[in-house]
Amino acid sequence: MVSQPSRDPAARAGSGRSGGPDWLFLAEELLRLAEHDGATAAEALVMAEDSALTRFANSEIHQNVAERNGRLNLRYVVGRRVGVASSDRLDDAGLRALVERAGRVARLAEERDEAVALGEPGPLPEAAGAFSEATADASPELRAGAVRAVIAAADTAGVVAYGSFATTTETVAVASSPGIRAIEARTHARLVTVQMAPDGGSGYAEAAAADVTAIDGAAVGREAADRASRTRNPVSIEPGDYPVVLEPYAVVDLLGTLGFLGFSALAVEEGRSFAEPGRRIGSDLVTIWDDGLDPAGLPMAFDYEGVGKRRVSLVERGVCRDMVYDAATAARAGRRSTGHGLPAPNPWGPFPLNLFMAPGEASRDELLGGLERGLLVTRFHYTNPVHPKLAIVTGMTRDGTFLVERGRIVAPVRNLRFTQSYLAALAGVEAVGRERRTLLGDLGAAVVPAIRVAAFTFTGATEH
Amino acid sequence: MLTCAAMRELLDRALDTASARGASYADVRLVRRLEESIAVKTGRLEGLASSESEGFGVRVLVDGAWGFAASHLLTLDEADRVAALAVRIARASATALRRSVVLDDRPPAHGRYETPVAEDPFALPLDVKIADLLTADRAMADVKGIAFTDSLYRAQREWKSFAATDGSDTEQVITHVGAAIEANAIDGDEHQRRSYPDAGGAFQAAGYEYVRSLDLAGQAERHAEEAVALLSAPQCPAGRTTIVLHPSQLYLQVHESCGHPTELDRVFGTEASYAGTSFLTPDKLASGFRYGSDLVDIVADATAPGGLGTFGWDDEGVAAQAVPLVRAGIFVGYLSSRETAPRIGRRSGGAMRADGWDRIPLIRMTNINLLPKPGMSLDEIVQDTDDGLFLASNRSWSIDDRRLNFQFATEVGYEIKGGKLGRLFRNPTYTGITHEFWRSCDAVGDERSYVMLGTPNCGKGEPGQTGHVGHGVPGARFRNVQVGVGKW
């Protein structure tokens, strides 16, 4: 939903959703005040959120929350100086105070060698499927109903359910001196559950979508309950190198971490990234891109600088192609932003928030069939880079780790610690699943398949 | 910004509406948060930001179930809407409830608390703080071989008003400040960094006097030179050995392997689907589980001077206190809340904290401190060590979902031979199982080495919350630890 502002100030009060503020009007008003205050250029960003989350544990709801917030972020430019201030005070005095703070900060800032880069205006694409009325209108009763369905599946399997169900409407509006006027409402819903069996079993399942009606609580509950039932009484295996099949829940961590470490133009600029156009980092089966407009993910039409999203090919048949840019990195590189800017101030640089990995041709049986003796890993836990440039990451397996022999699951195993280069894992991809899942991780959304990797290094074990 | 009278009216209105709608208990927090940050990159001012946030959150108990709603709109109509929504949400919660919430009987809270501040960081001109950070950062950036530097300064002040239907009424003003400098050296695929005092910044509940005490400029050159030296240093060898942990690493070891597993909500499973559960189950409390060696005394102390977890009352009105978690190596207590403590026959230890007005309070660390032991300073522990590794400055961390199997990487490792620091090693890592590791502790530094550190980035909960938690630590020694993990 991308639109132009109303020109009638009287229509603006209470013209947003649920009688709330007209966010683009607020962004424009903030921009007008900044320019009137003496800013040579400015960018007003509004991030409004109406969100709710129902959390359950021990097969009952234990936390249930809702929040409404509107955040104003002002980049205030004076010549080659820039300052940023933010606030959630939306009244006239709040806006003026915000402009005053941003201006004061900007005038204290050091003059830069280059001009301050704000997003360039351009045609804004439509992100079909970014907004769902059903998600925006999701009630506590709807969430409780889905949670009861998850719990019922757990009860049937004799396991205990834990998890959360979140529904969020995020409205982003940008008004800037170069001429950007953009507003979009985006929704997403995410249901996750961990289910535990009394004798050591643990299973996970997750579903994410822009449209809450696409999430089937009972199906998510059954998937996790099945895993929890099948992981009872796990056996210990020795750490070491094993071929693995990684479920999509694990693959999303791999892609998100690589996005964080290396697919950003700033990371490349600073020499801390592995990415380099033309460098081979994966097997021929690995193709990764970012696409904010693909309705298969969680779409968004533009970034937090108001620049329209462009599809960016990151890895094609194992070879690095391009990276994502925001206004600042694009200006330094002499090209256009790809629409991957984050809210200022942003020390991390541009970020791929909508990652996709190309599906392969392997069925699930074919993925497992390639394991003579290996592991099926449902998901990773608490991963962290040990050596960012080599993309060496450590983390644990969790909620469903299985020993596979001659293509068949033979036993659940106790969780293992891995210390593994994610780049080496991409290089070792020898099969890719044909089904993909849409998942929402800590580092954005991703649409990913399961993969089989020739060797994965496990360096420790735990007691469960 | 509301006047005191308007604020009072809003708090009362929210509580009255919640009660009228059927809440058996309700509390409301109105929070205003001011933040200021300075970022410097390679000798140049990269970012200046100022942030302000204000709103209120209403928590209610209806039919034995919790509901919570929050808003940034400070009007009486919104207080009515939010309180009513919280009640509606609680009623929805009650449709999937198996055990009604019962709170302990803490007395109503009254009073005012303010962080002692000698030099108000928000009153100090911004250009003074910028100049201090630039000076330190440039001293790093000027060292030959440094690819880029990153330095930061942050300050946060929170005004918090709390009221509850039991008559509680408190006001708090909490101020936190911190800073860090970091030098990065890159050669091909090798990227090394050295930070001081900590990569994410060392923070305290204090004024700008704390930042001055860090002497960032005085430490800059040495740390930058060490980053460059790491590029050509040998890889940390693999094997089992003695390690001596500097406070800049030990604080995170305490955080991950003692702080989180003693959170009683985690023990009862309410974090299971996100961060996980805990190996420290209540039966271990009853049986006197040996968590560490006799030298290990760990306390959750919300009264410790300077700690990021220091306050007057927690976010459900329980007074700040010191709660022993591990005494002479034996597991003796939890971080707890009014809801969880009665389930183990205790009263709340006052550890419920929320990240701003829009989040529900969760059990969070306060200041989880490893208490110093008379005898040896950290330097003297090194002198007392024949053979081992000295590890400093955390680089990465990971621990399993029950807080048993951990692995840490540090920025720097030094060989210890005959009580002296020797060769520099790059990419050091160590791993272990929590209780085995703490049982292998055979030396804890004394008061001379004890420092209050902490992190302003402790993640927990859904929706996500970022906590400010403190850790007082003196440095310590551990025997027979696996180091040099993985393939390099």
Side-chain angles (χ1 to χ4, degrees), chain B residues 157-297:
Chain B
R157 176 165 289 157
E158 209 168 68
W159 292 261
K160 182 159 42 182
S161 303
F162 171 86
T165 48
D166 65 5
S168 291
D169 183 1
T170 63
E171 298 283 336
Q172 301 192 73
V173 183
I174 310 270
T175 304
H176 293 163
V177 296
I181 52 176
E182 176 188 304
N184 290 267
I186 297 173
D187 182 12
D189 278 344
E190 199 54 60
H191 176 184
Q192 295 293 332
R193 80 166 193 224
R194 280 298 279 134
S195 60
Y196 170 82
D198 184 52
F203 285 79
Q204 282 202 357
Y208 196 73
E209 68 277 7
Y210 175 63
V211 177
R212 292 191 194 283
S213 76
L214 296 173
D215 185 23
L216 297 176
Q219 294 286 337
E221 188 175 343
R222 179 174 76 79
H223 283 80
E225 287 171 350
E226 214 166 36
V228 177
L230 280 166
L231 288 177
S232 53
Q235 177 71 26
C236 179
R240 298 193 80 88
T241 190
T242 296
I243 64 170
V244 176
L245 296 185
H246 185 268
S248 58
Q249 167 57 32
L250 184 57
Y251 89 89
L252 201 62
Q253 178 77 52
V254 170
H255 178 96
E256 300 288 3
S257 67
C258 182
H260 279 306
T262 53
E263 295 162 348
L264 195 50
D265 56 348
R266 172 191 284 272
V267 172
F268 288 140
T270 54
E271 291 293 324
S273 64
Y274 184 56
T277 58
S278 172
F279 74 100
L280 287 173
T281 46
D283 56 301
K284 291 190 170 72
L285 188 66
S287 66
F289 177 73
R290 178 159 285 282
Y291 173 90
S293 72
D294 288 348
L295 293 172
V296 178
D297 278 313

Side-chain angles (χ1 to χ4, degrees), chain B residues 22 34 36 42 100 108 130 140-141 158 167 182 261 273-274 284 291 315 332 351 367 390 401 442 447 461 475 487:
Chain B
L34 196 58
E36 184 176 87
T42 319
S100 291
I130 292 170
M140 283 191 140
E158 209 168 68
E182 176 188 304
S273 64
Y274 184 56
K284 291 190 170 72
Y291 173 90
D315 285 335
V332 295
N367 304 300
F390 178 79
D401 57 305
D442 77 339
E447 285 282 359
K487 294 175 179 173

Side-chain angles (χ1 to χ4, degrees), chain B residues 131-142:
Chain B
D132 286 351
L133 200 61
L134 275 172
T135 301
D137 188 87
R138 284 173 178 159
M140 283 191 140
D142 286 347

Side-chain angles (χ1 to χ4, degrees), chain B residues 50-181:
Chain B
S50 167
S51 164
E52 185 177 14
S53 173
E54 192 170 26
F56 68 102
V58 180
R59 187 177 71 144
V60 302
L61 260 183
V62 181
D63 300 333
W66 285 117
F68 177 83
S71 176
H72 65 119
L73 299 173
L74 303 180
T75 66
L76 295 179
D77 284 350
E78 189 69 351
D80 284 339
R81 185 192 73 82
V82 168
L85 178 59
V87 169
R88 180 182 168 192
I89 286 171
R91 289 217 160 90
S93 303
T95 65
L97 189 72
R98 300 187 180 189
R99 181 190 51 79
S100 291
V101 172
V102 177
L103 300 179
D104 76 2
D105 58 352
R106 67 114 171 85
H110 297 282
R112 188 172 192 283
Y113 173 86
E114 186 161 350
T115 303
V117 168
E119 190 174 10
D120 185 349
F122 289 96
L124 191 66
L126 199 49
D127 53 356
V128 173
K129 294 171 278 191
I130 292 170
D132 286 351
L133 200 61
L134 275 172
T135 301
D137 188 87
R138 284 173 178 159
M140 283 191 140
D142 286 347
V143 170
K144 190 178 175 198
I146 291 299
F148 66 95
T149 59
D150 265 319
S151 299
L152 67 89
Y153 161 83
R154 291 214 318 254
Q156 175 182 300
R157 176 165 289 157
E158 209 168 68
W159 292 261
K160 182 159 42 182
S161 303
F162 171 86
T165 48
D166 65 5
S168 291
D169 183 1
T170 63
E171 298 283 336
Q172 301 192 73
V173 183
I174 310 270
T175 304
H176 293 163
V177 296
I181 52 176

